[in-house]
Amino acid sequence: AGQAGRPLTERNSPASVVLFALDMVRETHRWSAGRGEAISCRVGVQTGQCVGGVVGSDMQRYHLFGGLMTELEVLESTAPRGRVQVSASCYGAVAEELERF
């Protein structure tokens, strides 16, 4: 999960993105246990800047580019199985958000 720039709403705040990531891991475990499967996931969460745009001509899709995406890929691929790993910038953004309460 990545978050570029300031959130547009409280629903998309840094803390909300982290809680969403935790819910994804929890629901994946619940779903797989109900099927008798041992399926897990790992999630990386990064906050930063990126650029987005539509790419492709035959099959167009929206794609994000930039340091945020590179760091996000590393966070996700190195996160322990069944865990959420956040970047230092994400941690700082969540801490800043919680200080307002």
Side-chain angles (χ1 to χ4, degrees):
Q3 182 173 26
R6 293 261 180 233
L8 298 177
T9 67
E10 286 303 311
R11 180 178 178 183
N12 297 320
S13 71
S16 294
V17 173
V18 172
L19 290 173
F20 175 73
L22 291 167
D23 284 344
M24 284 192 325
V25 171
R26 188 174 18 257
E27 285 302 309
T28 299
H29 289 162
R30 185 193 62 74
W31 174 81
S32 67
R35 297 177 55 93
E37 303 282 342
I39 298 172
S40 189
C41 67
R42 55 179 151 220
V43 181
V45 183
Q46 159 71 336
T47 300
Q49 295 183 354
C50 68
V51 174
V54 176
V55 296
S57 55
D58 293 334
M59 187 173 139
Q60 295 181 344
R61 59 188 168 239
Y62 193 77
H63 193 76
L64 299 174
F65 302 92
L68 175 128
M69 299 310 296
T70 304
E71 292 178 40
L72 183 56
E73 289 171 6
V74 171
L75 285 168
E76 183 275 327
S77 66
T78 61
R81 184 176 178 224
R83 299 296 176 112
V84 174
Q85 181 163 256
V86 300
S87 68
S89 63
C90 179
Y91 181 89
V94 170
E96 184 180 307
E97 180 181 347
L98 295 178
E99 284 177 1
R100 292 193 301 256
F101 290 104

